[in-house]
Amino acid sequence: MKSTLAVALIGLMASSLAFAQTPPSGDAPASAAPAAAPDAVIPFIQFQETALTAAIDNLARTAGLNYILDPKVGFGQPDEKGVVRPQPNITLRWENLTASQALSALLNNYNLQIVDDPKTKIARITIKDPAAPDPLETQIIQLSYASPSNLISAVQATLSDKRSKAIADTRTSQLVVVATAKEIENVQIMVKRLDTPTRQVLIEARLLETSDNPKTSKGVDWTGTLQAQNLKFGNNLKANEPEDSVNNTLVNSPFPKFIFDTAKGMNPGTAFLDADGVSAVFSFLNASSDAKVLSTPRTVTLDNETASISVVRASPIINVTPGTANTTGGSEITYTNMGVMLNVTPRISANNMINLKVIPEVSRIFDRVTTIVGEGVFQADRYDIRKIETRVMIPSGNTLVLGGLIQDDQRNSGTKVPIMGDIPLIGRAFRSDAKSREKANLLIFITPTIVQDEDFQPTKTDFLKTPVAETVDESWNAYDSAKPLDWSKPVADQYKGTK
């Protein structure tokens, strides 16, 4: 009698589902509340001794599902042997489920399934084939923080069915997963754990370079008098005649010349030093220069992403292509960055520790090298490059100091008149010494700090809400403009212009 009463109430109310905030009391189901939305969570679902087909009909209507019952189900109908298959009565009590979830659970319990028909939009409830694989479902997962290309490999690793697949849509940051219901559930759990905000790190760098360049030059340099003297033998030679390639006489030279004129015999001019005079350079000077270059760049980077900081100067490199019999040749200019380049890759570890990969590089042009290849003379710059690559673990907000990028270039040079420069005391007048030193030391201070949510502050702006001006304010008047006057407006105002 209890089961009959429950079914009778179902028929009269067109719903055997009891929707209530509290469980119903008594033997019969409580009165049904107004139908909920198809995807709404129902606080309470209860059936008491209700026919299976009636419960299916009730849940399908609530879920907004158009369906038809496959004749193979055959509840209450005689089979090929004339045996009537009795319809089971169900009793259940569920909480906080949608109607679709409850319907799927009910069908699975009795080896039934829903087969959708995309043409008619009418689903068919039929018996499951024990040998048939689980049906595939399509689920679109919207990502909030992670990139689809980063998660696609992890998602595909969770798919065990060969028919299942996952596709990444980078434009909308979504994952399209075609898989079984169980696989989709596992994918959603994994994506929920991986799709989290990526922490960020503030990188503060201070680049301090000190340089000291002392120079000293002392003594007397006789190079102008005694270096590269030229001797000539011939008839009627003159010291200041230009070079004659036929007679092989010497060209005008800034240096004095010894001339032996065989045409003048014992002329006093014979074998006489033809010179403009004695030339010497006296030096007694010290010079010094120092410099400090300080730059404090700051940048924010994602966890495990490289931040690049450069304080460089672009130096040109000229590539010359020599011409041939059929080509005119040409040149090409490329540029290379010379200076201080710093690459920092932070990785946040436990307890606010930061694993820091630091690659500082300091480069400059040292000098120029001349090379002769065949009949051509080629010049190229020579570079000094100082580079360190290291990994450290430091707490957030602490400073890492990198040093040792020292460059020390010392050069000594000197001149001396042989024999005269070796005489004690007097020899100082016949020799000179010069020394120079270029010393530079680069110190790099790096402070990584983990960025917290409260560190960000929104910037107030009304730029996007500001309407575009209909006219442009011009300070030009009609006298300065090439446009004709607008006779519909006062002429005086047009010549006055607007300010």
Side-chain angles (χ1 to χ4, degrees), residues 121-371:
K121 307 297 183 181
I122 298 177
R124 183 166 54 94
I125 296 180
T126 183
I127 299 175
K128 280 185 179 181
D129 184 1
D134 293 337
L136 297 180
E137 301 179 5
T138 301
Q139 181 75 31
I140 299 178
I141 303 176
Q142 178 67 57
L143 301 179
S144 301
Y145 306 101
S147 172
S149 57
N150 293 338
L151 289 184
I152 190 67
S153 58
V155 170
Q156 290 176 341
T158 63
L159 303 178
S160 57
D161 197 311
K162 295 182 179 180
R163 302 171 300 157
S164 303
K165 60 182 178 180
I167 302 173
D169 185 6
T170 57
R171 184 183 68 86
T172 59
S173 295
Q174 295 183 124
L175 290 176
V176 181
V177 182
V178 181
T180 63
K182 185 62 177 177
E183 289 176 328
I184 289 179
E185 181 181 356
N186 294 334
V187 168
Q188 290 175 333
I189 294 175
M190 184 195 64
V191 170
K192 184 177 180 180
R193 298 191 62 181
L194 295 180
D195 187 24
T196 56
T198 303
R199 304 183 72 181
Q200 301 182 90
V201 180
L202 169 65
I203 302 296
E204 296 180 276
R206 285 183 293 167
L207 309 177
L208 176 62
E209 183 173 20
T210 61
S211 61
D212 187 14
N213 303 319
K215 297 179 181 179
T216 181
S217 179
K218 298 179 176 66
V220 181
D221 187 357
W222 292 87
T223 302
T225 300
L226 301 177
Q227 184 178 11
Q229 298 296 329
N230 297 296
L231 300 177
K232 295 198 302 180
F233 292 87
N235 296 329
N236 298 317
L237 298 178
K238 295 181 180 179
N240 295 325
E241 284 184 348
E243 180 182 11
D244 187 347
S245 60
V246 177
N247 298 323
N248 293 325
T249 57
L250 295 180
V251 72
N252 288 338
S253 173
F255 304 108
K257 308 170 183 63
F258 286 104
I259 302 175
F260 295 87
D261 191 345
T262 58
K264 297 181 180 180
M266 297 302 293
N267 189 295
T270 301
F272 186 78
L273 174 62
D274 183 10
D276 295 334
V278 177
S279 176
V281 178
F282 175 73
S283 300
F284 192 78
L285 179 66
N286 293 336
S288 179
S289 62
D290 54 41
K292 291 184 179 180
V293 180
L294 179 63
S295 59
T296 57
R298 296 178 177 88
T299 185
V300 176
T301 183
L302 293 174
D303 182 25
N304 211 27
E305 294 289 340
T306 301
S308 298
I309 300 173
S310 299
V311 182
V312 299
R313 175 176 296 173
S315 299
I317 299 176
I318 303 175
N319 301 318
V320 179
T321 303
T324 62
N326 299 323
T327 61
T328 59
S331 61
E332 179 184 2
I333 300 178
T334 59
Y335 290 86
T336 182
N337 292 329
M338 309 297 296
V340 179
M341 290 171 281
L342 179 63
N343 293 327
V344 182
T345 305
R347 182 168 60 85
I348 301 175
S349 302
N351 301 324
N352 284 341
M353 299 291 290
I354 300 178
N355 187 322
L356 210 61
K357 179 181 179 181
V358 185
I359 306 178
E361 178 178 330
V362 182
S363 57
R364 73 179 183 95
I365 298 177
F366 178 67
D367 59 7
R368 177 163 292 187
V369 179
T370 302
T371 304

Side-chain angles (χ1 to χ4, degrees), residues 88-105:
N89 293 330
I90 63 170
T91 299
L92 56 86
R93 182 181 182 279
W94 291 332
E95 296 180 1
N96 299 323
L97 292 176
T98 65
S100 297
Q101 292 172 334
L103 179 60
S104 297

